[in-house]
Structures are given as structure tokens and as C-alpha cells.
Amino acid sequence: MQNLKKAQLVLEDGTIFEGTSFGYEQSVSGEVVFYTAMTGYPESLTDPSYKGQILVPTYPMIGNYGVPVDTKQDDLPAFFESDKIHCTALIISDYSFEYSHWNSQKSLGQWLKDQKVPGLFGIDTRALTKKLREHGAMLGKIVFAGQDVDFYDPNKENIVAQVSTSEVKEYGNGKYEVVLVDCGVKYNIIRCLLKRGVKVKRVPWDYDFTSEECDGIFLSNGPGDPAQCEKTIENIRKVLDRNIPIMGICLGNQLMARAAGAETYKLKYGHRSHNQPVVEPGKNRCYITSQNHGFAIDDKTLPVDWEPLFVNVNDGTNEGIRHKNKPFFSAQFHPEASSGPVDTEYLFDEFIKNIEVSKNR
């Protein structure tokens, strides 16, 4: 190992972890969060929902299968969830300097350097995760010698505006046209829609889509506090007066709830994993889901014409909502997975069924 620099992870309560750099060497700050997925770091790192966060995988060895080739399909990267890494930094226990995979083109460390994202290994991620579980998500910073930075809380500003598309983009040529409100969309959401014969019109987070001629509206995932997206909430509130089918995922679930009149709140340490169990109220079937969120809907504040669609088995928190009479529903988890289980991808089929019923009326 050649001249690897040391750096510190400093938490807001003064706790310090010392590690070794394997990424870009620059001091950064953000919200420190952990996730328990065992695989899928290329997808997780490119998920815009991690914007502003210092990511801590609990699986001990990271990097052993490198980074996929950057090929395109349907004008989208085939193996990533966006065009770049969005998390602020990566903290791991053991870094695999040697990597091997039929589809890899470079090492994780080289990718981090290319994208100017710091990464530290040699940190006791078990101790760090235990601290985050007990205290809750904490602000932190990675500090290299002579490069101190201030703490930064990404939840206090509108980071959706930083990850959303800046222009209208269209994908596919299917028989149904869906307006996708991009609050930080994962590309597999677009892939899942294209696979079902949908023409996708991807619009910025603050785009006024209320007068668009379309067959359905899709509200994407994204980072941060949903209360920061006032323009999106205002536009959703207007279309809730109509009967056009709407589906939301993750942040989209929270935005639909707030538009309907419900409240959201910050979870202690969030849900970030591939193994979150959810159930539909009144049913016995359990689904294993991929999740990445730090906020949740307060079920007690849902208006009378709305109801929970899924509930988290572990802690009883809301995992989706639906309107009792209109074709509106959303999921807090990621039915498109990538990475993670695909138990709930059928929800895209439900959205298409709602569109078909709506068009045949």
C-alpha cells in the first residue's frame, strides 16, 4: 500500500474515528447515516436520495466487485441509478483493493477519486452504527490534516433542487404518456415504466405539470425533508382534485401525503437497507423491500378519505398511502429496487391498470 493518507470522521458530539483514505482527499461534511444492504454499492452511491449524506455500509468488506462499465440503454446508464455519485462520502470497515467481476471496469477507490468523493476505510463501522442507532442520525465531517470544515445539515435546505433535472426530457414511445416529477429519480423507475409501454416525460421538481395532457403522473424519490418542496406539494395538491392516476415512491409518498393535508416527521435513524419487511393492513402477506429514507408520514394526520397502504413490520411506521376512491397511491419503499429485492415491482403494474381503467371510462 502506497502512501495512504489518514483522515478523521468527526461527529457533532465530538466523537472521532480515524481511518485511511481510499477516495478523493478533501474534507467534507454532511449527515452520517448507515445502511445494511450487503451488495449494490454502485446503485446506492448513485442514488440521488443520498445527496448530502456520509454513507456507512454495515457490511464489512466493500469494493470486491469493482465498478460496472458505463454503458447506455434507452439513453440511460445501464448499471447506475443516476449520472454520478451523489453521497457526500463513504465510510467502510474493510476496503478490497483487488476486485473481480465480469462487468467491472475500475476499482471503487478509482471511481471515488474520479468523482471527487472521499472514502475512508479501517473504521469500526459496528461501533459507529451502534452509536447512530442509539443517538439517531448525526452530522459529521471527514477532516484531512489542515483542511477543517464546518458541520452541514442537508435537511435544512432544498437539496431536491440540486438533484432534479434542469430541463424536460422524454424517454420511450409507449402508448401511455406519464409525467414523471423528478425530485431525484432513480433511473430504474424510468426503466420499469418503459418496460410497461410508457412514454415518460421527465420534468423538474418545480415544473407546473397541472395542465399537462397525460395519462398519469409519477412522483419520484429524492433526498431531504419533504417540507422543503413547497412548489411540488402545491402542484400535487391541484391535481388531487382530478381523477388522473398518480403513483409516488419514497419522497413522492411523503409529498403526496403533505399535499393531501397530512404531516411528515424525521425518523430517528431512517430506513436504509434491502431487508425492510412491510405488510398491507389487514392482510398476512409480508414483502421484503429496499428502502432509503429519513422521513415518514404521520398516519394519525391522514385525512379521512386516505388510508395507509403498507406498514413497516419492524417499527409500525407508514410505508405507503392510497386514496379510498380515486386512483392515487404511493409507496415509501422502492418497488423498482436496484439494488435489492423485487417483491413489490407489481405496483408498477397496478399503476398501469389504473391508467387503463381511467382511459376506458
Side-chain angles (χ1 to χ4, degrees), residues 2 15 46 86 99 110 116 134 141 145 165 168 175 218 267 277 281 310 338:
Q2 64 286 355
T15 303
T46 53
H86 282 283
Y99 66 92
Q110 187 59 54
K116 297 185 177 180
E134 292 174 349
K141 54 185 178 180
T165 181
V168 175
K175 62 179 178 178
F218 201 102
L267 294 166
F310 295 96
S338 191

Side-chain angles (χ1 to χ4, degrees), residues 228-239:
Q228 298 284 349
C229 300
E230 295 179 359
K231 290 184 179 179
T232 315
I233 294 168
E234 181 182 342
N235 288 329
I236 298 170
R237 188 175 293 121
K238 293 176 183 177
V239 295

Side-chain angles (χ1 to χ4, degrees), residues 3 12-13 25 33-34 52 75 78 102 110 178-179 192 206 223 241 248 250 268 291 301 309 322 340 354 361:
N3 294 325
E12 60 181 307
D13 67 352
E25 294 174 355
V33 299
F34 67 90
D75 201 30
W102 66 268
Q110 187 59 54
V178 168
V179 171
C192 285
D206 57 349
D241 290 332
C250 199
K268 183 176 180 180
Q291 303 200 10
T301 65
L309 180 56
R322 66 180 167 195
N354 286 345
R361 279 178 179 166

Side-chain angles (χ1 to χ4, degrees), residues 9 16 19 44 74 81 92 108 172 177 211 213 220 236-237 253 259 262 268 289 302 352:
L9 170 65
I16 297 176
S44 293
D74 295 320
E81 290 308 296
I92 65 175
L108 173 58
E177 183 163 348
S211 59
E213 291 294 327
S220 87
I236 298 170
R237 188 175 293 121
N253 178 55
K268 183 176 180 180
T289 65
L302 280 172
I352 300 302

Side-chain angles (χ1 to χ4, degrees), residues 143-165:
V143 179
F144 287 86
Q147 298 182 31
D148 199 9
V149 291
D150 294 331
F151 288 108
Y152 163 69
D153 187 350
N155 298 303
K156 290 187 176 180
E157 64 179 20
N158 184 359
I159 52 177
V160 165
Q162 300 174 29
V163 298
S164 175
T165 181

